[in-house]
Amino acid sequence: MNVSASPSILLPDQLSAAAEQGRICALAAKGQRDLQRQAARYPDLFTGPPFDGALFSNIALAIAFGAPWCTAEQLRLTNRAVLWGFALDWQIDYLAKSRADVDRVAAGALAVADGATPDADDPLGRLLAELRDELAGVPAFAELGDAWRAAVRRTVTAMAREWDWKTARERDGAPLPGFAEYLDNADNLACTVVNVAHWIWTGDAETHRRLDRLVTVSDEVQRVLRLVNDLATYERDLQWGDLNALLLVADRAEVDQRIVELVERCTELLAPLAGGCPLQAAYLSRQIGFSSGFYRSTDFWGER
């Protein structure tokens, strides 16, 4: 490359921007390696093409770019919480063949969240128990543990509900849910449950004090991400037999417009939080921004 022919590429703002992006990517690389080690400890959960190296990289990148002010150690639990969400999704959405299978997975996760010791043959429960026990080491967990348990319950319930919708359509030709009902089930994306764990693990006293308000905004962000994901993964969802917002509307423009409205709502909700919890407000804003860019060309899962 002839550097002298393009002096503008070395402007100080370009150098500093690239240096910061490089630092964040290094943070993600550390996270990816930890996720790969963690997955290797649970081969029954993370085998097969969907759990390829890119999945671990994508998780770590999303979390690192969402909270670049954190250390790799601070983000370790957040990354692992996302990994648990993917494992839960795979167990319910693709491996469960009956409602009894779904109930078994759901009951195991909820029992562990409530403090039970998982069975030796329950790797998903053991993974969640690790997260629970680490969170329990944070003094604030004594007060905030109920918020985390509630988020786990909402996530498990939402994934089971989507399984019911999808299976009823496949087996009985039942109608799909309406667009609003589908969007209200966005906890199946497992975003807020990760955010709650992140805030308990890394947050300061003010973050912990405002956790309920942060969860309210996170739920709106989660709806944005649900729709952004659906726009990007429509073809894959058709192949995999998944539900997708585009199956529920007459025109894609309806989904586009709903995203605009939701982002505006998120902006309104974040404004009063930015003063007391600036990092957490930025974290939620960056989740929307990262996903909006990421899903333009790829998604998290590997090939089925």
Side-chain angles (χ1 to χ4, degrees):
M1 180 178 68
N2 185 356
V3 174
S4 63
S6 304
S8 62
I9 66 172
L10 293 180
L11 289 174
D13 58 338
Q14 295 294 328
L15 290 172
S16 60
E20 175 62 4
Q21 291 162 1
R23 185 190 68 80
I24 297 172
C25 287
L27 189 64
K30 293 178 180 179
Q32 177 184 351
R33 290 178 180 126
D34 178 75
L35 287 174
Q36 289 176 313
R37 288 191 294 267
Q38 185 75 338
R41 297 177 57 230
Y42 293 93
D44 293 340
L45 290 180
F46 303 108
T47 56
F51 295 101
D52 61 4
L55 173 67
F56 304 128
S57 174
N58 294 338
I59 292 171
L61 283 166
I63 297 304
F65 274 91
W69 46 81
C70 288
T71 65
E73 175 59 24
Q74 287 176 313
L75 295 184
R76 176 179 55 79
L77 183 137
T78 312
N79 284 326
R80 291 184 177 188
V82 179
L83 189 66
W84 171 79
F86 273 92
L88 176 69
D89 186 33
W90 188 251
Q91 292 286 316
I92 291 179
D93 214 11
Y94 299 106
L95 297 185
K97 303 304 180 186
S98 67
R99 196 49 163 87
D101 290 341
V102 174
D103 290 343
R104 174 183 51 78
V105 174
L110 296 178
V112 169
D114 285 339
T117 299
D119 294 336
D121 61 351
D122 179 13
L124 185 65
R126 299 203 315 274
L127 180 61
L128 183 61
E130 285 190 14
L131 292 170
R132 178 201 65 200
D133 292 347
E134 287 211 70
L135 283 173
V138 178
F141 189 76
E143 180 180 352
L144 302 178
D146 283 346
W148 177 74
R149 286 184 284 271
V152 171
R153 180 171 296 276
R154 288 169 55 193
T155 299
V156 172
T157 301
M159 288 188 183
R161 184 179 295 119
E162 184 179 21
W163 187 93
D164 286 338
W165 287 338
K166 183 176 69 172
T167 304
R169 179 187 63 167
E170 293 172 350
R171 296 180 180 176
D172 306 319
L176 293 172
F179 181 36
E181 186 180 12
Y182 173 80
L183 193 55
D184 283 344
N185 199 52
D187 277 300
N188 68 341
L189 196 66
C191 173
T192 291
V193 68
V194 170
N195 291 344
V196 171
H198 174 77
W199 288 324
I200 293 174
W201 181 251
T202 68
D204 58 11
E206 186 64 14
T207 297
H208 292 160
R209 189 177 73 81
R210 299 195 187 200
L211 185 62
D212 287 346
R213 294 174 65 185
L214 286 166
V215 168
T216 297
V217 188
S218 177
D219 286 345
E220 292 296 297
V221 170
Q222 185 170 239
R223 294 184 181 98
V224 175
L225 303 189
R226 173 73 278 167
L227 296 182
V228 170
N229 175 292
D230 282 4
L231 291 180
T233 61
Y234 176 67
E235 296 297 333
R236 188 205 70 191
D237 288 340
L238 289 181
Q239 293 174 5
W240 288 20
D242 274 352
L243 296 188
N244 186 292
L246 292 179
L247 297 172
L248 312 177
V249 297
D251 190 334
R252 175 190 170 116
E254 185 176 346
V255 177
D256 291 330
Q257 180 58 34
R258 188 68 179 122
I259 291 173
V260 171
E261 294 169 356
L262 285 168
V263 171
E264 290 177 352
R265 175 63 175 157
C266 290
T267 301
E268 293 172 359
L269 292 172
L270 283 169
L273 284 171
C277 297
L279 290 182
Q280 312 316 333
Y283 171 76
L284 289 170
S285 295
R286 292 176 70 91
Q287 282 188 338
I288 296 174
F290 179 88
S291 294
S292 298
F294 179 84
Y295 282 116
R296 289 177 186 174
S297 59
T298 190
D299 75 77
F300 284 78
W301 288 106
E303 295 296 327
R304 185 173 180 180

